[in-house]
Amino acid sequence: MTSDTRSVGTLSPDHSAAQTGDEGETWLVPDSIFDGQKLRRGAALVIRNGRVDRIAHADDAPPDHKVIDGVLSPGFIDLQVNGGGGVLLNTSPDLAGMMAIAEAHRGLGTVGILPTVITDAPEVLARVVDAAIAAKGQRGILGLHIEGPHISQARRGTHAARHVRPMEQATLDHLERLRQAGLKIMITVAPEAVTPAQVARIAAAGVVVSLGHSDTDADTTREYLAAGARCFTHLFNAMSPMQNRAPGVVGAAINSDAHAGIIADGIHVADEMIGLALRARPVPDRMFLVSDAMPTVGGPDRFDLYGATLRLEEGRLVNSEGSLAGAHLSQAEGLWRLVNVLGIDPDAALRMVVTIPAGLMGLDDLASPVGRDLRDIAQLSADLRFKGWLAD
């Protein structure tokens, strides 16, 4: 992608009168700025006291403005992060583990994550919940994603069969504690392991219920959407496929107005299937990227899960059963592939790593550069590769 072919927006013509470089202000003029909805060319970020004060028209910049090559954007948001920097949340279920994972992904352009605990023993989930509460307000930690254990045995993927179980009171109590602490929470469940009434109760408490790891049919899926589920976990993966007379979870998801995460590493989902799903959704801006990252992202090429060692081989993480065991992917790489491999419009692709995941979790302030610390503003190349932060 070159600068003359990008889809960019322009500033509204009613911008304020020319600024003269008020004392304490710094004007930054990049090639373009992602404002949360579109790329704006001919725009400037006005900085005051280490934060973005406003987006202004570049023509109004004072003579001492600073020119920056490339694109400025809010940092990326990732709602499904199992690990990073050599750390797996399931095996390091504490505050230090969460912070190490967040720091590893920050180095790759992601400003906020939902640390994700997958199916495990009850005591592991309990420790992760304690860690998430302790992590409230810590830089880079947005809340918690509980993926399992209340999923389908048939579509458990790399999740350990011995820990898969129906919804239980302990999990409901954990969710209540997390919400009382004011945390943003997502939980992945399968209809096979939870009732519509339980979904309704969880959703009413402000938890984002995401359907995944399920072998159910489309009609049942729609029943659970009606009960309060409003998202799907890694679309296409670990769910009943779409067939001509059996839409499955995949077909129900694509035809719905629910949100859906998707992995864009070219391994979990074929690139053409991602494009098909994006074009087929009845409501725009309901798809967002997740990394589903494992400890190898920003870390060594192997790690232990459930007592077995998993290795990275040719970009794939596979367990002893041959199932994909998470992804070796960052949001930055997923964004680059969307634009440069799939040909997705850059505005739409940036919304998929910033605006849509932030909005789903009720964190709309993270979708705009205005008001943000300079440490949270990413510098991207013209082809949307992550280059670093405005400040660190």
Side-chain angles (χ1 to χ4, degrees):
M1 182 189 69
T2 58
S3 59
D4 60 343
T5 61
R6 281 180 290 170
S7 172
V8 296
T10 58
L11 286 171
S12 171
D14 61 353
H15 60 274
S16 60
Q19 303 295 315
T20 57
D22 293 342
E23 185 176 354
E25 286 186 348
T26 300
W27 285 60
L28 307 179
V29 180
D31 295 337
S32 58
I33 297 169
F34 180 64
D35 67 0
Q37 291 299 319
K38 60 188 177 183
L39 285 162
R40 291 186 176 188
R41 187 174 292 174
L45 285 187
V46 183
I47 311 303
R48 181 182 287 273
N49 298 324
R51 290 187 173 272
V52 178
D53 182 73
R54 63 191 182 277
I55 300 176
H57 202 289
D59 289 346
D60 296 338
D64 62 350
H65 71 270
K66 298 180 180 179
V67 176
I68 295 179
D69 292 333
V71 177
L72 296 182
S73 170
F76 311 139
I77 305 297
D78 194 343
L79 305 185
Q80 190 171 359
V81 181
N82 310 291
V87 178
L88 178 69
L89 185 58
N90 279 63
T91 54
S92 298
D94 50 34
L95 176 59
M98 284 190 175
M99 296 306 297
I101 294 167
E103 188 63 26
H105 285 270
R106 180 174 180 83
L108 299 168
T110 297
V111 75
I113 66 169
L114 284 186
T116 303
V117 57
I118 68 171
T119 298
D120 214 317
E123 58 269 24
V124 172
L125 178 56
R127 289 184 62 191
V128 169
V129 169
D130 289 342
I133 292 172
K136 183 181 178 181
Q138 293 290 328
R139 188 180 183 194
I141 306 294
L142 304 180
L144 182 65
H145 183 167
I146 301 173
E147 185 187 357
H150 312 307
I151 57 175
S152 161
Q153 283 282 5
R155 295 285 178 178
R156 62 182 173 80
T158 197
H159 293 226
R162 66 185 182 276
H163 295 311
V164 171
R165 54 195 183 271
M167 177 60 69
E168 55 196 2
Q169 186 61 45
T171 299
L172 297 174
D173 293 342
H174 289 319
L175 293 173
E176 184 175 353
R177 283 187 64 212
L178 291 162
R179 289 301 295 147
Q180 286 180 348
L183 298 179
K184 301 294 185 180
I185 307 301
M186 176 181 286
I187 185 168
T188 295
V189 296
E192 294 92 325
V194 62
T195 68
Q198 289 169 330
V199 166
R201 172 183 170 182
I202 295 167
V207 175
V208 175
V209 178
S210 188
L211 301 178
H213 288 276
S214 173
D215 201 40
T216 197
D217 57 35
D219 287 341
T220 302
T221 302
R222 286 188 283 267
E223 179 185 0
Y224 279 73
L225 290 173
R230 55 192 180 103
C231 189
F232 289 88
T233 296
H234 43 49
L235 183 66
F236 292 109
N237 294 114
M239 58 181 60
S240 50
M242 180 171 55
Q243 301 179 29
N244 58 329
R245 287 188 293 273
V249 176
V250 171
I254 290 175
N255 280 315
S256 76
D257 62 0
H259 286 76
I262 198 163
I263 305 169
D265 60 357
I267 295 171
H268 280 73
V269 183
D271 293 330
E272 55 264 45
M273 296 302 289
I274 296 177
L276 182 152
L278 287 170
R279 293 189 298 272
R281 298 304 305 276
V283 178
D285 287 343
R286 289 292 192 272
M287 300 278 287
F288 59 95
L289 287 192
V290 295
S291 69
D292 199 23
M294 284 296 192
T296 55
V297 176
D301 65 356
R302 63 196 65 196
F303 64 97
D304 289 340
L305 174 64
Y306 304 131
T309 298
L310 284 72
R311 291 177 173 81
L312 180 65
E313 297 179 359
E314 298 181 353
R316 299 170 65 92
L317 287 167
V318 182
N319 67 12
S320 60
E321 298 174 347
S323 295
L324 286 171
H328 180 70
L329 180 73
S330 67
Q331 286 290 71
E333 183 65 18
L335 169 66
W336 185 89
R337 293 192 78 261
L338 278 184
V339 175
N340 296 279
V341 178
L342 280 78
I344 302 300
D345 174 75
D347 293 349
L350 281 162
R351 291 196 296 271
M352 289 177 68
V353 295
V354 176
T355 314
I356 300 170
L360 174 61
M361 301 308 299
L363 297 166
D364 294 301
D365 57 318
L366 298 184
S368 171
V370 177
R372 304 290 292 281
D373 190 306
L374 294 191
R375 295 176 299 173
D376 294 341
I377 303 298
Q379 293 184 257
L380 311 177
S381 63
D383 66 350
L384 301 189
R385 282 198 183 278
F386 175 69
K387 295 169 58 179
W389 301 99
L390 268 183
D392 241 331

